[in-house]
Amino acid sequence: MVDLRSARDAGGLTQRVYALQPVRSRALRVALWSGVCACSVALGAAAMNWYATQRAVPPSQCASAPVSHDSMQAELERTRLALAQESTARAAVQKTADASAAEAARLNTELMFLRSQSQKRR
């Protein structure tokens, strides 16, 4: 037999309007998000403060004693000599590269001539 009472209950359950309701109250959710935002701001401020203090401290290399004029002139002359040597080396390498490129072009022209001669024979 059919139980009419359970059929009526099922009909009532299917006709109701259901809505999701939050588990926590609105005040608790707002307080939680405010706390998260406050912690984020505090962490950001601490990180910026640490970064600023790290950049404010001069490295030990920069805090060295002043250099005398004679040693600065000697260093300048040494640097000029190194620059002149490097310029000379670059010029020699460029000259070698130009000669190699000319040789490659000459060999390529000769190869093309020889290939054209071998095709004429066939």
Side-chain angles (χ1 to χ4, degrees), residues 31-97:
L32 182 66
W33 276 108
S34 298
V36 168
C37 290
C39 287
S40 298
V41 168
L43 279 172
M48 287 186 64
N49 188 20
W50 175 79
Y51 181 73
T53 56
Q54 292 297 319
R55 288 189 52 105
V57 176
S60 60
Q61 296 173 352
C62 293
S64 63
V67 181
S68 69
H69 184 68
D70 294 337
S71 64
M72 197 170 6
Q73 286 295 331
E75 181 70 21
L76 180 62
E77 288 301 318
R78 187 190 64 75
T79 306
R80 285 181 181 162
L81 179 62
L83 180 62
Q85 288 174 344
E86 185 174 347
S87 297
T88 304
R90 284 181 185 235
V93 168
Q94 184 65 42
K95 186 176 179 182
T96 305

Side-chain angles (χ1 to χ4, degrees), residues 13-28:
L13 290 175
T14 59
Q15 300 302 320
R16 284 188 188 159
V17 176
Y18 292 98
L20 294 176
Q21 294 184 2
V23 176
R24 295 178 185 91
S25 68
R26 183 180 301 227
L28 182 63

